[in-house]
Amino acid sequence: DTGVSQDPRHKITKRGQNVTFRCDPISEHNRLYWYRQTLGQGPEFLTYFQNEAQLEKSRLLSDRFSAERPKGSFSTLEIQRTEQGDSAMYLCASSLAGGRVNQPQHFGDGTRLSIL
Amino acid sequence: ELKVEQNPLFLSMQEEKNYTIYCNYSTTSDRLYWYRQDPGKSLESLFVLLSNGAVKQEGRLMASLDTKARLSTLHITAAVHDLSATYFCAVGSMDSNYQLIWGAGTKLIIKP
């Protein structure tokens, strides 16, 4: 178990640019989640995958955000035309498969995005 | 709409003292989680609480759930410096099998 891995750890970009983040979940986990966390707040749910299927997206998620998990393993989160308000820590988590949805999620260290 | 409120948001305490962090939520839920986050680090799962009256303990931390009161508590016994961190509760939304609604976190500082 090597844990959830996220890349890059930090990203600094100018407003209006596109950015893409990668998440590699724990290998036996088929559930994958993306969250956004700002300073002094708890994580905010963005989207959820079971295998390669994106089953849920937050209704607060802008059309500029898109996520994929093409082969049911790693996932990417892309933000197009970044804005100042996109500056945050982007967290990825994964959890075990199975009928119950109550398994705890295991989090990566996150990608910190700073928009200049 | 499910809302989750933690209090206090900040707690500074002395070693060897006991204290409790509270997590209130606004609508029915069937699952509640406690996580710990150290500065600049990932979130670490502490407890999963699934039923009314559930109590889980690990070392100096004990979590409980009262679904009727929509309240969970995280109790710290004889605090030690290593427990300094931010503690979050997260509550499962009944509108979703997957979405968790998170509290704002309680920043705990334990002074020697």
Side-chain angles (χ1 to χ4, degrees):
Chain A
D1 180 354
T2 57
V4 178
S5 176
Q6 292 190 245
D7 184 70
R9 291 294 309 276
H10 304 275
K11 179 70 177 179
I12 301 172
T13 192
K14 293 181 179 179
R15 184 165 53 92
Q17 298 295 306
N18 299 342
V19 294
T20 300
F21 311 139
R22 176 178 171 126
C23 171
D24 287 89
I26 293 170
S27 57
E28 63 266 29
H29 289 183
N30 73 343
R31 294 184 171 140
L32 187 146
Y33 311 78
W34 283 99
Y35 291 89
R36 175 170 59 194
Q37 186 179 24
T38 53
L39 198 62
Q41 298 296 319
E44 175 191 13
F45 171 81
L46 295 179
T47 190
Y48 163 77
F49 288 86
Q50 183 158 312
N51 299 313
E52 66 275 10
Q54 188 175 21
L55 296 186
E56 195 162 330
K57 285 174 63 172
S58 168
R59 61 180 181 273
L60 303 176
L61 199 61
S62 161
D63 290 345
R64 297 183 296 106
F65 288 68
S66 62
E68 292 183 341
R69 195 182 182 197
K71 297 182 180 178
S73 56
F74 74 91
S75 176
T76 57
L77 177 69
E78 181 184 16
I79 309 173
Q80 296 181 325
R81 304 181 303 281
T82 52
E83 301 174 355
Q84 291 284 350
D86 296 333
S87 295
M89 177 74 86
Y90 289 84
L91 298 169
C92 176
S94 68
S95 66
L96 280 169
R100 303 188 73 190
V101 296
N102 300 316
Q103 297 293 336
Q105 297 171 23
H106 298 260
F107 283 80
D109 287 340
T111 294
R112 181 168 296 282
L113 174 65
S114 298
I115 306 297
L116 301 177
Chain B
E1 181 187 350
L2 175 60
K3 295 188 178 178
V4 179
E5 190 174 293
Q6 280 183 244
N7 69 84
L9 296 182
F10 181 80
L11 179 56
S12 178
M13 55 193 287
Q14 299 287 332
E15 282 191 325
E16 299 301 318
K17 298 291 186 184
N18 303 333
Y19 210 81
T20 301
I21 299 170
Y22 297 89
C23 174
N24 291 89
Y25 53 99
S26 60
T27 64
T28 301
S29 176
D30 60 357
R31 56 203 191 277
L32 187 144
Y33 306 79
W34 284 97
Y35 283 83
R36 166 182 174 149
Q37 188 174 38
D38 292 297
K41 300 289 187 181
S42 180
L43 289 145
E44 175 191 353
S45 174
L46 296 174
F47 301 111
V48 180
L49 300 169
L50 302 175
S51 59
N52 187 41
V55 177
K56 297 275 184 79
Q57 183 162 6
E58 181 73 34
R60 299 173 188 269
L61 299 178
M62 183 173 72
S64 66
L65 178 62
D66 181 344
T67 58
K68 293 179 181 176
R70 297 177 188 157
L71 170 68
S72 179
T73 60
L74 181 66
H75 188 72
I76 302 148
T77 302
V80 292
H81 179 68
D82 286 352
L83 291 178
S84 297
T86 299
Y87 293 86
F88 291 93
C89 67
V91 182
S93 169
M94 294 300 281
D95 294 332
S96 163
N97 283 333
Y98 317 109
Q99 189 168 157
L100 297 180
I101 307 299
W102 293 70
T106 296
K107 185 170 184 177
L108 176 64
I109 295 177
I110 299 169
K111 301 176 183 176

